[in-house]
Amino acid sequence: MKQILVTIPLRDEQKEALKKAAPDCSFEFTTAANITEEMVADKEIILGNIPLELVPFAKKLEWLQLNNAGTDGFCDGILPEGCILTNATGTYGLAISEHVVGMLLAIIKKLYLYNDNQKEGLWQDEGHVRSIYGANVLILGFGDIGEKTARLLHAFGANVRGVRRTAAEKPDFLEELVTTEETDRLLPWADYIVLAMPGTPATKGFIDKRRLSLMKKDAVIINIGRGILIETEALADALENGELGAAGLDVTDPEPLPQGHRLYHTKNCFITPHISGQYHLPQTLELIYALFLRNLSAYMAKKPLESVIDFKTGYRIP
């Protein structure tokens, strides 16, 4: 009898459906905040993230199903040998793509500035605004989140190009889809840049001082991938010195962004505290649960799992 730990909040009927998918297994349900060493010590299967510091205690672990779209340290040799790692790719695209559009509109229509003015009791015109229609948008990281974001921005009338790690067929709603090596060629073209890449050793500091200098002076960069994708101080310098138009950050490095950091007080920087995903949109949790159920059923039947991670690259195996 395999021992299974489930760490995401589920309704009673969802718990029963998981039990039916693995009738010969024993389940323990908890929340991420309440996981202990004892809970993970005897588990062969864990559905949902656990703190990295507890992984060494999960010596019997055969399969870990993450509830996020990245890997966040789980590829760094800490899992038991032979353990399968899967993530939740494909479940966050709806929520995060809409967050990108909302953040971009708030910036280019100056809604965040008007909100600040309202709090000060100011009736003040902030001047010209910009449009998504006809703009050049570059999506860096063309997975599920990048694709859904591109579809929405294309529907607004933007000219969208995408960059991904490996070559793939270009969808109709993109003008161009290229590999990472061509990033520098496209950065000067873009009015708006969306970072949707995972955080891996290869992507750390991907947007550095040099790449920031390639962007248009009025370019807007949105980061909903991982904070380490951008060199924080280089970004702050570019914003303060007028070398970049604006930034929308749902992720930062470090995270949380320390109280008093200058980015909090930079007028053309719009920050949300890593909330574009998670379970703020109820449909996201439903999609994650459905993935867990499919993968658990497949695991019990000894069939291939969805979103298996390659430990060498930190990306999903196609």
Side-chain angles (χ1 to χ4, degrees), residues 117-189:
N117 291 346
Q118 177 185 335
K119 293 174 184 176
E120 298 296 326
L122 297 177
W123 187 275
Q124 178 173 300
D125 191 326
E126 292 291 344
H128 290 146
V129 297
R130 302 167 68 180
S131 179
I132 295 176
Y133 181 83
N136 297 334
V137 180
L138 180 61
I139 310 288
L140 297 175
F142 202 74
D144 173 64
I145 294 170
E147 179 183 343
K148 285 186 170 59
T149 300
R151 286 182 182 275
L152 287 179
L153 294 173
H154 172 75
F156 271 85
N159 309 307
V160 187
R161 297 182 181 181
V163 172
R164 52 174 289 144
R165 186 175 60 93
T166 55
E169 184 177 353
K170 181 187 76 67
D172 292 341
F173 53 87
L174 285 188
E175 287 192 349
E176 188 177 13
L177 180 61
V178 301
T179 55
T180 310
E181 291 75 15
E182 297 197 56
T183 300
D184 290 1
R185 174 175 66 84
L186 292 178
L187 286 175
W189 166 85

Side-chain angles (χ1 to χ4, degrees), residues 223-229 248-255 272-274:
N223 188 9
I224 45 77
R226 287 294 183 267
I228 63 170
L229 300 179
L249 308 175
D250 185 54
V251 288
T252 61
D253 181 29
E255 194 171 295
T272 54
H274 202 156

